[in-house]
Amino acid sequence: MASMTDEAAARRDDALRSAVDSGLVSEAEPVVGLLDIAGIRQSATSLHAAFATPGVAVEHTFAVKAASLVPVLALLGQYGLGAEVASPGELALARAAGIPPERTVLDSPAKTTAELREALALGIAVNADNPQEVARIDALLAAAPSASPIGLRVNPQVGGGSIDAMSTATATSKFGVALRDPGAEEWVLRTYAERPWLNRLHTHTGSQGVPLRLMAAGVRAAYDLAERINAAAGRRQVTVLDIGGGLPVNFGSDDITPTFGEYADLLRAEVPGLFDGRYGIVTEFGRALLAKHGTVLARVEYAKSAGGRAIAVTHAGAQVATRTVFAPDAWPLRVLALDPRGRPKDGDPVVQDVAGPCCFAGDLVARGRTLPRLDAGDHVALLDTGAYYFSTHFAYNSLPRPAVWAYTTTAGSAPAFSPVRRAQSLADLLTESGADLPPLTP
């Protein structure tokens, strides 16, 4: 088990104070996101070190959905990561960030013919999801040959974790070819034998709530299938195994558990052939790279009580912490109570709810949490929010997307902030909502 260093926690505390002092969070902009660049670099370094094996080609890609922010993707590109994309929008973001096609992987259960044509023309790696998609690729390749690496996503049907929505290797998952269904493996073997250009195999068991051994079981199933494909084809056809991502994150403390190293070591024990040099490896991690290095900082607008329960009404709710609000047991967040200057709040702890600004009763990011009593003008910090919380905004009540800032620290100096995303203005929001279009005719 690893843990955030005292240095990382100190960087976070300094950034919270400085964000308040410098007015990054204010009455005009009452909620912001903060990202620790040094922490992101440490995660990327740990990932590379965990999978590094002499004689094995490893390509790490970042799941763009976890932080669909161009400056973040560009930063990760500088740290040696490519991009895993699952939509035309995500591909556009990756290209804008300078991620080259040869370090990009396209995954999606609903790729259109136009998406496939673009990816094949650019030389982007494509993982086909189903037999109909394979047939589309057949037709596209017949019309225009491509240098794209092409694979097939398979569902090993090894089971689910504790969060159904995050489990992608269940018996009835919508993703990939379900290997244990009648006739499925025979179809896979025949499909590869008939298509020498199919040279990859892809699987992804799930993410948050999925234990490491279940993830390893999914990878083992894909590896065993690759061995059977190559034997049946009579050639070394599958040369790369894309093992997806999905390393879960500990949201309960600063401990980083599990680590990339622990997962890689388990794979070495459970699937030793994966590291013997016969296969290249592609990974698609997202949440585990960024979650620990981001914080949502918000003002407390009002403090009240109801039924004897203290309630702090803040500007961070379902619009930024959507999963936490709607599935609090699966996605709990730690909350820091801060004073008006962004310093840790003193005082005896009391049981209270931390509510958001959305106009429905369930908009709570923490329920019955014991914290120093929050007052109007104080602040709250939602920890471990570096992945998804900044880039999957929920536009309830037409609340604008908040600004996101990255910070770096130098000993003896205040943190330096760099913009990652500007706050959405009301003018932007109006345009997005069709205000510049002609009125409808009754």
Side-chain angles (χ1 to χ4, degrees):
M1 177 188 299
S3 145
M4 287 178 64
T5 62
D6 291 341
E7 181 182 352
R11 288 197 304 266
R12 182 182 65 203
D13 292 345
D14 286 347
L16 292 171
R17 288 193 296 268
S18 188
V20 175
D21 289 343
S22 61
L24 294 186
V25 63
S26 64
E27 185 172 356
E29 294 191 16
V31 57
V32 296
L34 304 175
L35 276 170
D36 178 9
I37 288 180
I40 296 172
R41 181 177 63 246
Q42 290 165 0
S43 280
T45 300
S46 297
L47 174 59
H48 286 299
F51 281 84
T53 306
V56 179
V58 183
E59 176 70 42
H60 296 296
T61 65
F62 174 74
V64 171
K65 58 185 172 289
S68 49
L69 300 164
V70 170
V72 173
L73 303 180
L75 179 67
L76 290 168
Q78 294 177 46
Y79 296 152
L81 275 77
E84 184 267 338
V85 302
S87 73
E90 289 184 357
L91 176 56
L93 294 173
R95 296 189 70 188
I99 306 298
E102 61 270 20
R103 292 172 57 195
T104 304
V105 178
L106 173 61
D107 295 319
S108 165
K111 305 179 198 72
T112 66
T113 299
E115 289 177 66
L116 291 168
R117 183 181 292 112
E118 179 185 21
L120 295 174
L122 291 170
I124 289 169
V126 176
N127 289 319
D129 180 83
N130 56 69
Q132 294 170 59
E133 188 176 336
V134 171
R136 286 186 181 183
I137 294 174
D138 279 335
L140 290 168
L141 291 179
S146 169
S148 289
I150 303 174
L152 179 70
R153 178 168 183 167
V154 295
N155 171 11
Q157 295 174 293
V158 293
S162 61
I163 306 175
D164 289 344
M166 298 292 104
S167 300
T168 56
T170 59
T172 57
S173 171
K174 73 177 185 179
F175 292 101
V177 176
L179 280 183
R180 297 184 182 181
D181 282 12
E185 183 170 325
E186 291 78 6
W187 178 85
V188 170
L189 295 176
R190 184 171 64 253
T191 296
Y192 274 84
E194 295 172 352
R195 294 167 177 81
W197 45 263
L198 271 175
N199 51 23
R200 290 188 171 194
L201 194 64
H202 174 234
T203 192
H204 175 70
T205 302
S207 54
Q208 195 66 19
V210 176
L212 289 195
R213 290 204 172 273
L214 192 64
M215 293 171 61
V219 175
R220 178 75 207 202
Y223 168 82
D224 289 343
L225 178 61
E227 295 281 86
R228 293 194 292 274
I229 289 170
N230 289 346
R235 57 182 177 265
R236 187 170 172 268
Q237 181 166 342
V238 176
T239 58
V240 173
L241 290 173
D242 185 333
I243 64 172
L247 192 72
V249 168
N250 166 37
F251 288 98
S253 73
D254 279 344
D255 291 333
I256 299 173
T257 176
T259 65
F260 291 120
E262 289 167 345
Y263 181 41
D265 288 346
L266 179 62
L267 289 176
R268 288 186 174 93
E270 298 289 327
V271 198
L274 184 64
F275 295 91
D276 67 10
R278 291 179 300 123
Y279 294 99
I281 300 172
V282 173
T283 73
E284 302 172 352
F285 295 105
R287 180 180 294 107
L289 279 160
L290 290 188
K292 287 289 181 186
H293 311 305
T295 307
V296 171
L297 175 63
R299 280 167 46 93
V300 178
E301 193 65 38
Y302 297 110
K304 56 193 293 186
S305 65
R309 173 72 58 84
I311 304 170
V313 181
T314 81
H315 288 274
Q319 89 279 24
V320 290
T322 314
R323 284 174 171 169
T324 295
V325 168
F326 287 106
D329 293 337
W331 300 98
L333 286 177
R334 293 182 290 154
V335 178
L336 294 184
L338 307 174
D339 67 15
R341 299 185 63 196
R343 276 70 171 168
K345 185 86 187 273
D346 293 326
D348 294 333
V350 300
V351 175
Q352 56 196 305
D353 291 346
V354 180
C358 297
C359 197
F360 66 95
D363 186 30
L364 303 170
V365 295
R367 302 164 186 255
R369 193 71 58 87
T370 301
L371 297 166
R373 182 183 290 274
L374 288 160
D375 299 308
D378 285 340
H379 297 83
V380 293
L382 311 184
L383 305 187
D384 306 327
T385 48
Y388 293 97
Y389 288 84
F390 299 161
S391 63
T392 52
H393 187 79
F394 178 42
Y396 200 92
N397 289 138
S398 295
L399 288 164
R401 287 184 290 273
V404 179
W405 297 84
Y407 60 87
T408 55
T409 57
T410 304
S413 301
F417 292 97
S418 301
V420 174
R421 180 182 67 200
R422 296 179 181 88
Q424 186 182 32
S425 69
L426 292 182
D428 294 335
L429 193 151
L430 286 169
T431 299
E432 185 177 88
S433 300
D436 59 342
L437 299 177
L440 299 176
T441 302

